[in-house]
Every structure is written in structure tokens, then in C-alpha cells.
Amino acid sequence: MTNQKNERALLLGIDFGTARTAVMSSRRHKGLLQTVVGYPRDVIGVKLLNRTLVVGDEAIEKRSFLDLYHPVADGLLKEANDKDWDAAREILQQAIALSEPRAGERICGIIGVPARATATNRRQLLQLTEGLLDLCLVVSEPFMVAYGLSRLLNTMIVDVGAGTIDLCAMKGSVPAADSQLSILKGGNYIDRLLETAIRDAYAGVQIDRYLARQLKEQHAFVGAPTEAVLVHLRVHGKPMALDVTEAMRMTCETIVPDIVEAIKSLLLSFAPECQAEALANIVLAGGGSRIRGLGALLEQHLREYGDVHVTMVADPEYGGAYGALKLAMELPTDYWSQIGEVIGD
């Protein structure tokens, strides 16, 4: 279902995540950037950058002389200070620019929020878009994933993000509050535990949250290891090969009990005759879905409930943005307010 008003506008699907922001447009542009802004600490930094701020990967690469601002925490906008707000707008502005909008063009976007984001959280995000989007709708992130997959009935989405793990029970309609759950753990939680575990195992090792995240993204797994995880880090300044197999497994598995309990809770929200089908249609999404063995371990923990089948989205980075764009393209903008909160016209 589309209309001419949609076709004349640039439509965007945006996943404004804690770690990364993904955007897809109705003109087939797509882009990904890290949700971080770096500001030079002094005039030397300004000279090195030749500008007053930098966004995304470059900010992390040059963090030695920058103050980094991560404006999204636990999937929600921070309220600490004006700098966080400015950083959030800068990231959103750059994400929109990746879609190459034309001068004077009407820009309409759908943005994802954590499954149980409060009304206040949603309003803050909508306010952030003023002057950047002509019309904005915020919807649940796992609902975006489900819509993109056309998995709208008797399906459970488990979106493992950096700030939160969001779950949604799809029952053939826009999910109500009691069909959604958010767990305040995710990739960043694993990063912190992994950094600590490696420090505890190797005295003098030089590691920070960014290196820990890099190691996790390369080697994350749960369950029995198939091979040793050997990484190269510096210890007291000297390069060394370190075995972090047990630290990786232990820290990645910390999120499993929470996910299992959340799935059990959401399962009870389905009608009894639908529960077997829902268990056979559990979908992992988000960056954390790449943790090797996660689906199999969840199936193992849920075995007593019947035949459980867990699959993973084909493109974890863009799964949410794609679903948001698909919704934007199929639903006339006049109907957006029936799905969630809207700002603009």
C-alpha cells in the first residue's frame, strides 16, 4: 500500500543504535556509522583534524586526542549535557546525509527505539529530529525487524543490540507493551566483562573497551569451543599472543540466562495453541546475533518446551533499518500515527 505523497518524498529507515547507526533510503542508498562523536581536547587536536569534530570510526581511531561522546546508552538518548544532545543530532544529520537528500526535498523517516522505551524516551527522540526530518515515526526495534522479514504472526524476535536485548512477540498486529521486553544487557555489557576478564587473567595487559569490542566482534562464541581464541595484545608494552578462549566464552554466555527467561515469559503471552509455532519461529537479530553458537545454546536451554528452532537474520547490521524502510514505503504517511508516535507533517 503506497500513495503519491510517499513517492514524492525521500523515505528513510533508521536504526539509531547504541553502538552503530544504520540508514536505508527509498532511493536504495544505505550507510552505517558508529554512534560516537569526537571533539578535540585543545587547539592541537583541531589542527590535526582540521575541523572541530569527527564522527564514527575515525573518532575511535583518533581517540587519543579526542573527547568521545556516545549519546545513546542502553538504547536511549542520554540527558547528561548539551554535548550529548549535539552529538546525537550530528550523528543523525550525518546518517541522513548518507542518503543524499536533494535540496528542498521532503524527508520522512521511521526510527527504531528499544521495545519498552517510555513515552518520554520516544518524545526525546522525536524532538531530536526537528529540523532534520519533515516527518518522523518511532517504532519498536524488534517490530521493525519482524516487519522487514514479514514474520508478523506467531514469531519471537530477539534483537541483541549493544545497549539492550529487545524481544517482541508477533501476533498479527502492532505489538502491545505486554508483548515486548527489554533486557538492559547487550554487546557493551559483554565488552566491559571481557575487558575485566582479560585484565584479571594477564597482569599488565593493555586493553580498553574499544579493543575488547573489536576482539568480541571477531571471536565471540558460546558453548564448547571449536578452537582456541588467540589474540595479540601488548603486555607491559611488549606484543604477546594471549589465549582468551575461556574469557570469551564466559562473558558471552552471561546474556544467555536473561534471554532464555525472557523467551519463556513472552511464550506465555501467546494462546496455548500458538505456542508450538512461536517456539519454532525464534529469530535472532542485531549485532549480537553473530555470536557463534548462540542459537544452538538457546535451543538447548528451551528443549523442555518442545521443538525449538532459532534462526538468524541475513544482515544483522541493516535488519532494523530495512524493516523501517519497508514500513515507510508500504504505509502511506497519513497512517503513520496509527503505528506509533509521530512528529511533523
Side-chain angles (χ1 to χ4, degrees), residues 62-77:
K62 298 177 178 177
R63 63 186 182 276
S64 61
F65 61 90
L66 302 175
D67 289 324
L68 298 186
Y69 284 81
H70 298 264
V72 181
D74 298 332
L76 303 173
L77 292 173

Side-chain angles (χ1 to χ4, degrees), residues 211-288:
L211 279 175
R213 186 172 86 177
Q214 189 177 78
L215 296 178
K216 177 202 67 184
E217 291 180 346
Q218 292 173 351
H219 304 288
F221 77 97
V222 295
T226 56
E227 59 185 4
V229 179
L230 298 176
V231 301
H232 292 85
L233 296 171
R234 289 186 176 270
V235 179
H236 297 298
K238 300 176 183 178
M240 294 183 65
L242 307 179
D243 187 333
V244 298
T245 310
E246 182 58 21
M248 188 67 69
R249 182 198 63 78
M250 177 187 67
T251 55
C252 289
E253 287 188 359
T254 57
I255 64 172
V256 172
D258 296 275
I259 296 175
V260 170
E261 290 306 309
I263 290 173
K264 291 178 182 178
S265 177
L266 281 185
L267 179 63
L268 297 178
S269 72
F270 288 92
E273 64 273 19
C274 298
Q275 290 177 7
E277 185 178 353
L279 284 170
N281 289 285
I282 299 174
V283 181
L284 288 176

Side-chain angles (χ1 to χ4, degrees), residues 11-23:
L11 302 176
L12 305 180
I14 301 174
D15 188 348
F16 195 22
T18 299
R20 292 183 175 89
T21 296
V23 59

Side-chain angles (χ1 to χ4, degrees), residues 297-332:
L297 191 57
L298 292 175
E299 289 176 353
Q300 179 182 326
H301 279 283
L302 293 164
R303 188 178 301 154
E304 63 182 310
Y305 287 82
D307 293 328
V308 181
H309 188 52
V310 181
T311 59
M312 188 182 100
V313 297
D315 191 348
E317 298 290 7
Y318 287 98
Y322 171 74
L325 176 62
K326 183 180 178 184
L327 179 61
M329 295 181 69
E330 293 183 351
L331 184 67

